[in-house]
């Protein structure tokens, strides 16, 4: 909270209920903040305190026993209470000098009520004041937050937000964007500015640095897993709750402003890369056309390895968008923002275009000596996690690495085939072309009647039995073969007991013959099952 909203021990002494009280020791601690009031009349209480409490007592816990008082006082000091108030009366008639010296040694204000007072009235008074101040803080913070938001709608929104942040906290404000020069409000000299910038380090949550007698709070500004700037607040004291809250509000408003601008830039980039669709569909026939479209970047990009990636998205929502086309484009552009940021963070240069409910990404590898697949897997993992929170499901197909723009259609076709397998293999949300295995051969059999004939030759009896009896022999066979004939693992995968599995395997042997586990036939069965999955992806195995 702002210093204006804090209640110190010195200010408490000015309250009506303290008009007859006096401070016996610890005057240097009068600036301590009072966060709450607590009455303690027992000798063991350390776990009851959190720090910053004003303690009220009649002395019942220690009476005239100096050793008991010192034990009581040590617990208060350890828990960093704000002060100790003792009422003279039934248990105490005076405070020994030894007690006052002990409090003075730790600058702990020791306040004496020379006559009986109503502790209930003191706690009600101070608690009401603290609660009202907290309420006032929230009201003021909400008002400033609304003003931050309003300011970001103007052309100089960020500058106005920084100025209001400074006027609201009376602190030095420093804004460090990732792609521009830092701003200092108010302006300071080069030496001092370099000192504050030296505390900056990469971070995803606010952190605090102590620099001499001053404190710096550093708040990252960004969205979609990427930090675009940092906001620093330099204080002459330790940060209070108000500084954290208002800094968070300011950084959120700035992030919204930056996100809005990036959304506009993304729409512009999208319109500039529409030619990528022509390239992938071989409607561009020579490099000269691409040179004209790309300009100076052509030579550098054409020398880099790249992969074509298809990201298919599906939005899960209760209400429908105003029109299907507008809804897809809006989701696609927001997804494109995240895709661009995450790809760039993994050292890829992405060319992105939107085709229906798919993003087409041509990802040029700027760090070819590092494993591209590992970095791509990191990209896809981050995207899946991010979009899961927004109820957007992603399926991703990745073509093989290639080089030269004119070969892009090959990687595109591979990405299409890989993406199509995510429907056949629902547990695979990301499919790399180099993981297709036998599916790579099956894709190149254009005459589907050949595949259907192959399936009937090797799996016909099993398929017919399943269709007529409602059994799951085909799935059982697939799982059994995929686990190298391990009955224990197959039963576990199918969630059935071993006896049920034995019955099914006996039936499979009866239908296919006793030699179905021989190498050649087993291989044919496994290929037949893959062909069946390819032709009938809706029939999940």
């Amino acid at each position: 909270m702002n210093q204006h909203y804090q209640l110190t021990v010195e200010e408490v002494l000015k309250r009506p209920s303290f008009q007859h009280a006096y401070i016996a020791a610890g005057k240097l601690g009068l600036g301590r903040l009072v966060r709450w009031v607590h009455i303690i009349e027992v000798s063991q209480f350390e776990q009851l305190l959190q720090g910053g409490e004003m303690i009220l007592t009649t002395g019942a816990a220690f009476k005239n026993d100096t050793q008991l008082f010192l034990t009581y006082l040590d617990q208060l000091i350890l828990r960093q209470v704000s002060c100790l108030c003792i009422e003279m009366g039934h248990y105490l008639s005076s405070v020994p000098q030894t007690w006052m010296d002990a409090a003075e040694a730790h600058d702990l204000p020791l306040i004496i009520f020379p006559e009986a007072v109503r502790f209930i009235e003191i706690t009600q008074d101070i608690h009401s004041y603290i609660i009202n101040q907290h309420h006032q803080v929230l009201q003021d913070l909400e008002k400033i937050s609304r003003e931050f938001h309003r300011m970001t709608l103007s052309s100089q929104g960020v500058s106005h937000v920084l100025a209001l942040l400074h006027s609201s906290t009376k602190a030095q404000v420093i804004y460090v964007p990732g792609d521009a020069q830092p701003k200092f409000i108010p302006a300071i000299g080069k030496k001092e500015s370099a000192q504050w910038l030296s505390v900056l380090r990469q971070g995803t949550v606010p952190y605090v640095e102590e620099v001499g007698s001053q404190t710096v709070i550093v708040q990252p500004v960004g969205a979609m897993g990427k930090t675009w700037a940092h906001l620093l607040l330099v204080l002459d004291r330790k940060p209070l709750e108000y500084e954290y809250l208002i800094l968070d509000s300011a950084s959120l408003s700035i992030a919204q402003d930056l996100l809005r601008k990036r959304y506009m830039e993304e729409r512009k980039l999208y319109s500039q890369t529409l030619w990528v669709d022509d390239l992938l569909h071989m409607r561009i026939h020579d490099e000269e056309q691409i040179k004209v479209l790309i300009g100076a970047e052509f030579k550098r990009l054409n020398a880099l390895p790249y992969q074509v990636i298809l990201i298919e998205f599906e939005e899960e929502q209760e209400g429908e968008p105003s029109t299907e086309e507008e809804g897809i484009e809006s989701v696609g552009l927001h997804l494109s923002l995240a895709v661009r940021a995450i790809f760039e963070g993994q050292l890829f240069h992405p060319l992105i275009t939107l085709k229906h409910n798919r993003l087409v990404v041509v990802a040029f590898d700027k760090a070819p000596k590092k494993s591209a697949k590992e970095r791509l897997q990191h990209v896809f993992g981050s995207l899946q996690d991010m979009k899961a929170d927004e109820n957007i499901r992603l399926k991703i197909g990745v073509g093989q690495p290639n080089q030269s723009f004119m070969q892009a259609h090959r990687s595109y076709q591979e990405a299409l085939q890989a993406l199509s397998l995510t429907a056949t293999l629902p547990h695979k949300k990301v499919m790399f072309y180099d993981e297709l295995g036998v599916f790579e051969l099956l894709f190149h059999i254009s005459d589907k009647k050949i595949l259907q004939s192959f399936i009937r030759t090797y799996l016909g009896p099993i398929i017919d039995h399943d269709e007529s009896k409602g059994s799951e022999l085909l799935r059982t066979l697939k799982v059994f073969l995929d686990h190298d004939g391990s009955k224990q693992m197959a039963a576990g995968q199918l969630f059935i007991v071993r006896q049920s599995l034995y019955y099914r395997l006996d039936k499979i042997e009866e239908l296919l013959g006793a030699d179905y586990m021989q190498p050649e036939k087993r291989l044919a069965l496994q290929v037949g099952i893959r062909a069946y999955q390819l032709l009938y992806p809706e029939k999940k195995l």
Side-chain angles (χ1 to χ4, degrees):
M1 290 185 293
N2 185 313
Q3 193 72 24
H4 174 71
Y5 300 117
Q6 296 300 304
L7 183 65
T8 64
V9 175
E10 187 172 13
E11 290 168 332
V12 168
L13 289 173
K14 297 175 184 178
R15 309 292 295 176
S17 52
F18 284 77
Q19 61 181 332
H20 299 302
Y22 66 91
I23 182 162
K27 290 184 178 181
L28 292 180
L30 290 177
R32 294 188 183 196
L33 300 179
V34 177
R35 302 183 187 280
W36 207 241
V37 180
H38 210 357
I39 301 171
I40 296 183
E41 301 287 22
V42 294
S43 58
Q44 297 297 324
F45 52 81
E46 186 177 329
Q47 300 304 316
L48 301 177
L49 302 177
Q50 296 181 339
E53 294 92 350
M54 166 177 274
I55 305 301
L56 304 177
T57 182
T58 61
F62 44 82
K63 300 177 183 176
N64 289 310
D65 190 321
T66 294
Q67 189 56 49
L68 281 178
F69 172 79
L70 294 178
T71 301
Y72 184 96
L73 188 68
D74 285 343
Q75 293 179 78
L76 299 182
I77 293 167
L78 181 64
R79 303 307 296 180
Q80 298 182 326
V81 302
S82 57
C83 63
L84 171 62
C85 305
I86 304 177
E87 177 194 81
M88 297 294 103
H90 183 71
Y91 296 106
L92 289 171
S93 57
S94 64
V95 176
Q97 185 63 43
T98 305
W99 297 11
M100 291 186 282
D101 291 343
E104 186 73 31
H106 292 90
D107 295 328
L108 178 69
L110 180 60
I111 299 168
I112 306 300
F113 291 106
E115 55 190 40
V117 291
R118 289 175 59 85
F119 282 175
I120 186 65
E121 292 179 356
I122 294 174
T123 56
Q124 286 179 339
D125 173 50
I126 296 177
H127 287 173
S128 296
Y129 180 88
I130 292 172
I131 291 170
N132 288 338
Q133 291 297 71
H134 273 274
H135 181 66
Q136 186 63 46
V137 167
L138 295 176
Q139 286 186 320
D140 290 352
L141 186 64
E142 183 181 0
K143 180 180 178 181
I144 292 172
S145 296
R146 286 198 303 267
E147 188 65 14
F148 282 152
H149 181 68
R150 186 191 66 78
M151 286 174 168
T152 57
L153 300 177
S154 68
S155 59
Q156 297 295 320
V158 173
S159 296
H160 292 159
V161 168
L162 298 177
L164 179 57
L165 179 61
H166 165 65
S167 63
S168 301
T169 60
K170 309 303 179 187
Q172 174 71 56
V173 175
I174 304 170
Y175 177 63
V176 188
D179 56 358
Q181 292 297 313
K183 294 182 179 180
F184 299 87
I185 300 176
I188 56 178
K190 289 184 178 180
K191 184 177 180 180
E192 189 177 358
S193 64
Q195 176 191 16
W196 298 130
L197 293 177
S198 67
V199 307
L200 189 61
R201 65 173 187 268
Q202 294 301 315
T204 56
V205 294
Y207 61 89
V208 177
E209 291 281 354
E210 300 288 341
V211 181
S213 61
Q214 294 176 295
T215 305
V216 186
I217 313 176
V218 182
Q219 171 79 45
V221 179
M224 299 181 299
K226 185 170 183 180
T227 298
W228 296 325
H230 285 86
L231 198 53
L232 286 71
L233 210 59
V234 182
L235 303 160
D236 293 327
R237 51 181 166 72
K238 289 188 176 181
L240 303 172
E241 183 183 1
Y242 179 81
E243 274 87 33
Y244 286 110
L245 293 174
I246 196 170
L247 186 61
D248 185 64
S249 179
S251 67
L252 180 60
S253 294
I254 293 173
Q256 289 173 337
D257 181 69
L258 296 177
L259 183 60
R260 193 160 42 244
K261 290 174 180 175
R262 276 163 173 74
Y263 182 83
M264 295 170 63
E265 291 171 2
E266 193 66 29
R267 184 178 287 275
K268 181 180 178 182
L269 288 170
Y270 164 63
S271 66
Q272 292 174 346
T273 55
L274 291 176
W275 60 269
V276 171
D277 188 62
D278 291 332
L279 175 68
L280 299 178
H281 289 86
M282 302 180 68
R283 292 191 290 266
I284 294 178
H285 303 292
D286 59 70
E287 290 185 348
E288 291 303 319
Q289 290 177 270
I290 304 174
K291 287 180 182 179
V292 172
L293 292 165
I294 296 182
E297 284 286 280
F298 173 80
K299 185 176 181 180
R300 180 177 70 88
L301 293 179
N302 201 44
L304 292 176
Y306 65 85
Q307 288 170 266
V308 175
I309 297 141
L310 299 179
I311 304 174
E312 188 172 277
F313 56 90
E314 181 180 352
E315 187 177 18
E316 298 175 343
Q317 56 179 19
E318 296 179 0
E320 293 297 323
S322 54
T323 69
E324 185 177 356
E325 191 64 29
E326 288 178 3
I328 288 175
E329 183 179 7
S330 177
V331 174
L333 283 170
H334 277 90
L335 177 59
S336 181
L337 273 171
V339 166
R340 189 178 302 280
I342 297 174
F343 268 86
E344 289 175 350
Q346 289 297 317
L347 302 178
F348 291 98
H349 176 89
L351 296 180
I352 305 173
T353 190
L354 178 65
K355 188 75 170 178
H356 305 303
N357 67 325
R358 289 177 184 169
L359 282 185
V360 183
V361 184
V362 184
F364 291 87
D365 191 352
K366 297 191 292 184
K369 292 185 179 180
K370 297 182 179 180
S371 170
K373 190 167 186 177
E374 288 182 8
R375 285 180 288 131
L376 286 174
Q377 287 169 333
H378 181 86
V379 167
F380 302 145
S382 298
L383 275 176
Q384 295 279 14
D385 292 343
M386 183 186 300
K387 292 305 169 182
D389 295 336
E390 301 174 21
N391 292 324
I392 294 176
R393 292 185 298 179
L394 302 179
K395 295 179 180 179
I396 301 169
V398 187
Q400 294 200 92
N402 221 318
Q403 201 160 334
S404 171
F405 277 101
M406 297 310 297
Q407 303 300 318
H409 66 281
R410 293 184 181 178
S411 189
Y412 175 65
Q413 291 300 319
E414 293 165 351
L416 278 173
Q417 293 176 1
L419 181 63
S420 69
L421 268 189
T422 59
T424 300
L425 308 172
H427 63 286
K428 294 282 287 187
K429 302 301 181 185
V430 178
M431 179 64 73
F432 287 79
Y433 185 81
D434 63 10
E435 296 175 350
L436 263 57
V438 73
F439 284 108
E440 183 178 347
L441 290 175
L442 298 176
F443 272 123
H444 289 87
I445 300 177
S446 56
D447 188 348
K448 301 308 176 187
K449 291 182 179 179
I450 296 176
L451 292 181
Q452 290 169 342
S453 175
F454 188 87
I455 293 169
R456 290 301 307 173
T457 299
Y458 289 95
L459 297 171
I462 295 287
I463 294 170
D464 292 341
H465 188 277
D466 281 350
E467 290 179 352
S468 63
K469 303 295 185 181
S471 57
E472 292 189 333
L473 295 185
L474 185 59
R475 180 167 183 264
T476 301
L477 177 62
K478 177 184 181 299
V479 172
F480 184 60
L481 295 178
D482 286 351
H483 287 85
D484 296 323
S486 169
K487 295 176 181 178
Q488 180 179 357
M489 295 179 67
Q493 182 70 29
L494 293 166
F495 300 104
I496 59 176
V497 298
R498 296 278 285 273
Q499 290 302 322
S500 295
L501 176 64
Y502 296 157
Y503 171 79
R504 293 187 188 182
L505 293 178
D506 287 343
K507 193 64 182 178
I508 289 171
E509 182 175 326
E510 177 186 326
L511 294 170
L512 298 182
D515 63 342
Y516 79 95
M517 285 299 286
Q518 292 300 309
E520 292 302 322
K521 193 166 185 178
R522 174 179 172 176
L523 179 60
L525 289 172
Q526 289 183 297
V527 172
I529 291 171
R530 267 49 179 186
Y532 182 86
Q533 289 180 287
L534 187 63
L535 292 185
Y536 309 105
E538 72 281 359
K539 297 181 179 181
K540 310 300 183 185
L541 292 182

